[in-house]
Amino acid sequence: VDMAAMALNSVSPLYRVSLLGTQYASQAMSEKTYASSLKSAEEAARIVKTKTTLGIQNGILITVPIPEKDELNPVFINDNIERALEQADDKGIRGKATTPFLLAELHRTTGGKSVAANKALVFNNSRTAAQIAKAYYAL
């Protein structure tokens, strides 16, 4: 597992990029919102265990990118995201209606490629979470 980054507090979400996970971690790292990079589930588990043992109440955010083989071209997807956000704004779409609109629009404009990328991201997130949980309970 090559976990891209971990944030400890005051995370500034990158909503436009994180919709599909495309370059989420690399952009977040460039904005210095992340404390460190992790190389294994065991390392993440040790951090979580230490935080819990010390009674620290803040959150931990671990981001995991879309696997390279499933990534969409960053220019392609970011352009599509920008256009979809502009359309949502033009149509007055706000709040909880935004995500379904954006996902449907991205599905349409990417010819379904966004759905495949999202599925790969969900699978990678789930696999990583399971690896961290297993390592945590092995401590």
Side-chain angles (χ1 to χ4, degrees):
V1 175
D2 183 19
M3 282 173 269
M6 179 197 71
L8 292 176
N9 222 353
S10 304
V11 176
S12 178
L14 302 173
Y15 296 109
R16 292 180 181 202
V17 180
S18 68
L19 289 170
L20 296 171
T22 305
Q23 291 190 325
Y24 180 83
S26 61
Q27 184 164 349
M29 289 294 287
S30 71
E31 294 187 11
K32 300 183 186 337
T33 55
Y34 288 82
S36 64
S37 293
L38 305 174
K39 299 295 181 200
S40 70
E42 291 76 16
E43 188 177 354
R46 283 192 303 274
I47 290 169
V48 173
K49 182 73 166 184
T50 300
K51 179 185 114 29
T52 303
T53 301
L54 293 174
I56 298 171
Q57 297 296 311
N58 64 338
I60 295 176
L61 173 66
I62 298 171
T63 64
V64 183
I66 294 174
E68 262 186 58
K69 67 180 182 61
D70 300 304
E71 278 184 345
L72 298 177
N73 176 292
V75 173
F76 170 74
I77 192 59
N78 288 334
D79 286 349
N80 279 281
I81 290 169
E82 287 298 322
R83 280 194 298 277
L85 287 167
E86 288 170 9
Q87 288 179 2
D89 190 50
D90 291 346
K91 293 180 178 189
I93 297 171
R94 305 262 186 279
K96 64 183 180 179
T98 304
T99 299
F101 173 81
L102 293 176
L103 292 175
E105 188 60 21
L106 290 170
H107 178 266
R108 186 185 69 74
T109 61
T110 66
K113 292 176 184 173
S114 62
V115 173
N118 268 329
K119 286 180 181 178
L121 177 61
V122 168
F123 179 78
N124 202 30
N125 285 343
S126 300
R127 182 181 59 214
T128 300
Q131 290 169 340
I132 293 170
K134 180 179 176 184
Y136 180 87
Y137 286 101
L139 294 175

